[in-house]
Amino acid sequence: MTKTPEPGTVLLEPHPASERLAVLSLSRPPVNALDQGMWDALLEAGLALHADDRYRAVVITGGKHHFAAGADIQQMIGLTPDQFGRRNRILQRAFHLIATAPQICVAAISGYALGGGFELALAADFRIGGPDAVLGLPEVTLGIMPGSGGTQRLPQVVGLTRAKDLILSGRHVEAQEALQMGLVDRIAPDPFETALDLALTFARGPLSLRHAKRAVQAGLDLPIEDGLALEAEAIEWCFSSRDGQEGLSSFLRNGPGQAAFGHD
């Protein structure tokens, strides 16, 4: 099993099930409110994911009780607007690094995922919620607004109108409504174990997964011609890779779904 992180920490480490799978754990009981030190640690974790070729998938977890109930408001009170702006950009950059990481990221959400905690979950490629999951961006109820990617990523997940509903009302969404809206991809009694199983399928998959993820994400911001050019370049690389050649040959030898990847 992975080590239990100390309170107020962010821990990125390999999971024993696969050297290609990492777990990004948050720990600051009782609700994992993100203190300033955790903001810096999340930035370091995001940088590490971009620099580390070992990992192909990541599970993001806050443990069994709460994913993360947003930023620690007490630490924000004494900041000047300029200080707050500089600090906020650290968290915004951290979540952007996680969202654009080459690994496939799966968030396991128990309990609260609010504010910055929900924005971290939105940076993942997939979200598995527990029956007790509560999600939302309540920043407007504090007189501010989401500032670490929520206004940009939420519309891509649930559409413009639903995103405006959640952002402008600041309301909380419980598990079943979150599933209906597409905020989570499924509900599971143990979201960590379900997220782990899903992430393992990606960790054991071909390196082409990261190229497919990059093409999908980049295409959101590119003219169709540029997106198609990026796609063409990516599939040529995949075709030339050992994983690609093994996958094609395995299909002819053994049928679909039998290839063992890990050559690249």
Side-chain angles (χ1 to χ4, degrees):
M1 296 296 292
T2 58
K3 294 180 292 184
T4 301
E6 295 297 323
T9 63
V10 174
L11 183 64
L12 177 67
E13 64 174 359
H15 191 276
S18 172
E19 63 182 6
R20 296 184 188 176
L21 174 64
V23 177
L24 178 60
S25 303
L26 312 176
S27 180
R28 189 173 181 240
V31 294
N32 288 340
L34 304 175
D35 64 20
Q36 297 288 304
M38 294 174 78
W39 292 24
D40 295 328
L42 282 164
L43 176 59
E44 292 177 6
L47 290 168
L49 290 176
H50 281 261
D52 198 329
D53 288 334
R54 292 177 299 167
Y55 301 134
R56 297 201 181 179
V58 181
V59 174
I60 307 172
T61 177
K64 293 184 177 181
H65 301 294
H66 294 291
F67 185 75
D72 186 334
I73 303 300
Q74 185 64 42
Q75 293 188 353
M76 295 166 57
I77 294 297
L79 298 177
T80 66
D82 181 65
Q83 289 172 329
F84 174 78
R86 283 187 279 113
R87 294 301 301 167
N88 179 69
R89 285 181 177 84
I90 289 174
L91 194 61
Q92 189 183 71
R93 185 184 177 207
F95 293 169
H96 182 66
L97 285 168
I98 292 169
T100 58
Q103 298 82 9
I104 310 301
C105 298
V106 185
I109 304 171
S110 295
Y112 293 137
L114 301 174
F118 185 32
E119 289 175 306
L120 172 58
L122 287 171
D125 300 295
F126 302 96
R127 286 163 293 281
I128 310 299
D132 62 344
V134 179
L135 302 88
L137 295 171
E139 286 88 344
V140 295
T141 67
L142 304 175
I144 55 175
M145 60 173 279
S148 299
T151 65
Q152 303 305 299
R153 294 192 180 94
L154 186 58
Q156 294 178 3
V157 173
V158 298
L160 184 61
T161 300
R162 284 180 169 173
K164 285 181 178 179
D165 167 36
L166 297 183
I167 292 168
L168 300 181
S169 70
R171 69 184 182 90
H172 293 179
V173 177
E174 296 185 357
Q176 287 302 319
E177 184 183 4
L179 180 62
Q180 293 169 1
M181 295 178 69
L183 294 177
V184 297
D185 301 294
R186 75 181 77 159
I187 301 294
D190 188 333
F192 179 77
E193 289 300 323
T194 300
L196 188 64
D197 289 343
L198 178 60
L200 274 170
T201 65
F202 296 124
R204 293 167 177 159
L207 200 58
S208 59
L209 290 172
R210 66 178 53 191
H211 292 277
K213 172 181 173 176
R214 181 171 66 93
V216 170
Q217 289 189 316
L220 294 173
D221 301 316
L222 292 174
I224 184 65
E225 295 81 5
D226 294 339
L228 289 170
L230 173 61
E231 180 185 76
E233 178 184 334
I235 194 173
E236 287 172 17
W237 184 95
C238 294
F239 180 82
S240 68
S241 70
R242 289 193 292 172
D243 273 352
Q245 291 301 304
E246 169 60 24
L248 294 168
S249 298
S250 175
F251 178 87
L252 294 178
R253 292 194 311 266
N254 306 314
Q258 302 302 312
F261 298 110
H263 305 286
D264 292 294

